[in-house]
Amino acid sequence: MKFTCSTKDIASAVGAASKVVNAHTTVPILSNVLLSADEGAIRVRATDLELTLEQSFPAEITEPGSVTVPARLFSGYLGNLPAGLLELTGSPSRASVKAERSNYDFHALPADEYPPLPVAQKGQSFAIPAKRFREGVTATIFAASNEEARGAVLMGTLLELDGDNITLVATDGYRLARWTSKLERAIEGTAKYIVPSRALSEAARNLGTAELVEITALGANANQLQFTAGATSIVVRLVDGQYPNYQQVIPAKFDRRVVVNTQGLIGGLRRAELVAGDRASMVKLEVANQTLMITAKSDVTGNAYEELEVEQTGEDLAIAFNARYLVEILNHVDSPQTVLEFLGPLSPAAIRPLELGEESGQQLYVLMPLRQ
Amino acid sequence: MIVHFDLDAFYASVAQRDEPALRGAPLAVSGRSRRAVVLTASYEARPFGVRSAMPLYRALELCPQLLVVPPNFTAYRETSLRVFAIFGENGRAVEGLSLDEAFVAAGEQLDDAIAFAERVRARVRDEVGLTVSAGVAAVKMVAKIASDANKPDGLTIVPPGTEAAYLAPMPVGRLWGIGPKTQPRLEAAGVRTIGDVATLGEARLYELFGRAGTFYRDLARGIDDREVDPTRERKSISTEETFEYDERDERRILALLRVQADELARDLQKQQLRGSTVGVKIKKADHTVTGRQTSLAVATDDADAIHDAAVWCWERAGMQGLPIRLLGTRVASLTEEKARELKLF
């Protein structure tokens, strides 16, 4: 193979690919990126077998073909090249790069040993604006479990499709994030996919500046999902399993409601958490007389007391939360005012933004309180 | 001298002390779930065959008139603190084994130790309203065996020099470290009593116990210089099992992990502890030991959570299909903090 391209294009594609490569892989070829030259474009691919990223950029191709090069080494080299053009010549055992007045040879591994992309049959597909998709991913995946021992299902994020509706759900069993929005192109029928959250975040991060993300199920059992946006394609292996019935844990209605300034509440919780220390970061919220009181106490550090003016509907309430969990949720609430809804001191509470943007999706968080 | 104190049928006795209507009746302290087990049975329930760790449904079959009360850990903890304060009178070293059991250092003289044990038993009865059995001996294991000899409300004294004779007729399974797996193996080899172990020759000893042989023989002769250690704190709880033949059948290994998780969860619940580290220990056929452990976001005493974590560790230990000699599960990073986290599902 032989091609000429801009150093900036290839550096950016190989740089992104090198981040996918698993540094601890024991399979040598998996530490490499695959470069393929064909039809006026170079495709750069990397995989950790769970997620495969492929990006393409235009180039002048003299001789089509492919080569694999060690990802980290090659990306380090490219990142240190000045802007300009480079010429790459590849063979099964070597990749030679000429740029300005320099000449480098990199040991390569045969490209035909590289894991092939699943060319399996395509299944259901749908599309969503890239910006909206990223927003949904950010709003949910933080709530997924990061405890490997609890299983891949809870470490995943659920994508639920129904006509032109999309719902993203993540939960670790103590808190739950749900985000719903509209698709740009509807799916035929319904579908549910559990995507590893780490891979989903990688996908959202790498989709670049394209307007629209096309999402397509791959494989006979729809066990992979392909995200395509512009010149980037990401294939993610899905989690096989049954997602918990999340709808069941979202209370249908609440009897108490508080509207509070989001940043004010975050600040108060953060300060009180310092006092609460490691006692499960327990802070107490009390609502009475249109006032929210935040308290925490510890034998070691002392006492915390804060007041916030709120808009209270329904009876008074005292409830305790893990401050860290609550702050993490509030940090994702995309609105200056937050609505907190309660049923009682031992029932799940709902947290949602007061104002909903026209374009954006709808956020809902559910958090279990702590026993006092 | 060492005194081992053991409160009699602790949970049940606390319930009967606090609720006169329960006195004199067969009583079990137990949860009410489908898989609940008896945590403690009162002495009135024991003639029916009701024992701790027995499934509740089985206990009710054996004794249909059995009264069942839920555990009240707040009361146990509060009571235990008061009893331990009596154990530790005049700054004595107390090594607590659980809420209802402790070794106490009792000086050099046997007479002083006996007087101390009697005084403690009287004070616990008068001030706390419970009976405590005691064993007095120069060696921990002997004191512990002795405290069990005349339960309930008993005091057993094994004077120094008589330990070997006291232990000799006892079944070999009473020896510390000899579990239900090893006992049949020893019995098959003709070693039935602790006395049999005490008289084993070197070669036979090594054959049966390996390198730990002399330790077991000393123990069987009533020789053990371990002192009461007041700083001992349970940092982890664990259980392990040696396979009769090296095991490579994954189904049996997974089944054992299930049993071990259930056992550890019961132990944690009984002691009102929770742990946030779970690990498995694997001894390979060549006797080298390997293992894996993982941290949980929230400390647990739940059998399923321990089981899931243990299976995860097992799967990552890379021993599938290879013969293993021993498998153990351990829960560490223990905390006494109450479980505050409520779950969505």
Side-chain angles (χ1 to χ4, degrees), chain B residues 92-158:
Chain B
R92 285 173 195 273
V94 178
E95 177 181 339
L97 301 175
S98 61
L99 287 177
D100 56 355
E101 209 189 322
F103 287 117
V104 184
E108 299 290 318
Q109 300 301 318
L110 178 64
D111 290 348
D112 292 350
I114 295 170
F116 165 68
E118 284 292 20
R119 195 164 59 242
V120 166
R121 281 165 31 77
R123 282 188 65 192
V124 171
R125 190 168 46 237
D126 298 345
E127 297 172 24
V128 189
L130 294 176
T131 62
V132 56
S133 294
V136 181
V139 173
K140 276 182 168 179
M141 182 185 76
V142 179
K144 185 167 158 88
I145 290 176
S147 74
D148 195 40
N150 288 304
K151 264 180 162 295
D153 201 14
L155 171 66
T156 307
I157 297 142
V158 184

Side-chain angles (χ1 to χ4, degrees), chain A residues 164-181:
Chain A
D164 66 348
N165 294 308
I166 178 168
T167 305
L168 266 55
V169 180
T171 178
D172 65 359
Y174 301 99
R175 56 183 170 176
L176 179 142
R178 186 189 74 185
W179 176 89
T180 48
S181 187

Side-chain angles (χ1 to χ4, degrees), chain B:
Chain B
M1 300 299 299
I2 293 167
V3 185
H4 179 260
F5 289 106
D6 194 352
L7 288 153
D8 300 314
F10 181 46
Y11 294 178
S13 301
V14 170
Q16 290 178 323
R17 178 195 66 184
D18 296 347
E19 179 51 66
L22 300 173
R23 289 179 200 161
L27 173 75
V29 177
S30 168
R32 266 295 186 187
S33 78
R34 194 171 50 79
R35 289 207 298 197
V37 293
V38 174
L39 294 172
T40 307
S42 72
Y43 280 93
E44 295 83 356
R46 297 191 186 188
F48 295 91
V50 177
R51 297 277 178 273
S52 44
M54 173 182 279
L56 183 60
Y57 73 87
R58 177 81 189 117
L60 287 165
E61 278 170 16
L62 290 170
C63 179
Q65 68 271 45
L66 187 70
L67 300 175
V68 181
V69 297
N72 176 353
F73 286 105
T74 315
Y76 306 150
R77 196 158 286 281
E78 186 263 337
T79 306
S80 175
L81 281 174
R82 287 168 59 198
V83 172
F84 272 58
I86 295 173
F87 291 165
E89 64 163 29
N90 303 328
R92 285 173 195 273
V94 178
E95 177 181 339
L97 301 175
S98 61
L99 287 177
D100 56 355
E101 209 189 322
F103 287 117
V104 184
E108 299 290 318
Q109 300 301 318
L110 178 64
D111 290 348
D112 292 350
I114 295 170
F116 165 68
E118 284 292 20
R119 195 164 59 242
V120 166
R121 281 165 31 77
R123 282 188 65 192
V124 171
R125 190 168 46 237
D126 298 345
E127 297 172 24
V128 189
L130 294 176
T131 62
V132 56
S133 294
V136 181
V139 173
K140 276 182 168 179
M141 182 185 76
V142 179
K144 185 167 158 88
I145 290 176
S147 74
D148 195 40
N150 288 304
K151 264 180 162 295
D153 201 14
L155 171 66
T156 307
I157 297 142
V158 184
T162 66
E163 293 90 353
Y166 177 71
L167 295 172
M170 294 186 179
V172 65
R174 297 294 299 270
L175 204 57
W176 278 2
I178 305 300
K181 274 279 164 169
T182 319
Q183 190 177 349
R185 189 169 61 81
L186 292 173
E187 284 173 355
V191 178
R192 292 189 179 80
T193 65
I194 295 183
D196 291 341
V197 178
T199 54
L200 285 173
E202 295 296 329
R204 196 88 172 97
L205 198 60
Y206 188 81
E207 188 187 315
L208 289 169
F209 295 97
R211 267 178 300 182
T214 48
F215 166 76
Y216 284 112
R217 190 174 57 189
D218 280 353
L219 214 50
R221 291 174 176 174
I223 304 168
D224 183 8
D225 56 9
R226 281 176 289 182
E227 289 177 7
V228 173
D229 178 4
T231 61
R232 203 180 97 144
E233 210 181 313
R234 288 198 93 175
K235 293 197 172 67
S236 70
I237 65 163
S238 62
T239 176
E240 57 185 48
E241 185 148 343
T242 306
F243 295 104
E244 199 164 346
Y245 301 100
D246 289 353
E247 186 61 75
R248 61 169 85 210
D249 182 343
E250 177 124 25
R251 282 171 312 171
R252 279 195 224 147
I253 286 163
L254 292 175
L256 180 57
L257 288 177
R258 179 76 248 178
V259 171
Q260 292 183 338
D262 290 348
E263 184 188 329
L264 292 174
R266 208 153 53 223
D267 207 1
L268 287 168
Q269 286 158 16
K270 193 167 175 184
Q271 300 186 53
Q272 221 195 352
L273 292 169
R274 296 179 304 133
S276 57
T277 303
V278 176
V280 296
K281 170 182 168 187
I282 299 158
K283 196 186 269 180
K284 302 182 195 173
D286 66 2
H287 290 246
T288 56
V289 174
T290 180
R292 271 290 174 131
Q293 68 172 42
T294 184
S295 298
L296 309 176
V298 171
T300 190
D301 61 3
D302 178 69
D304 289 339
I306 296 168
H307 174 249
D308 290 351
V311 169
W312 184 87
C313 292
W314 159 254
E315 283 171 351
R316 270 146 195 86
M319 290 296 297
Q320 282 95 337
L322 298 171
I324 67 169
R325 203 183 147 72
L326 171 149
L327 181 68
T329 306
R330 169 173 167 271
V331 180
S333 313
L334 301 181
T335 168
E336 289 185 3
E337 279 252 315
K338 266 196 293 182
R340 299 184 177 279
E341 297 81 7
L342 297 166
K343 291 185 106 171
L344 280 165
F345 49 81

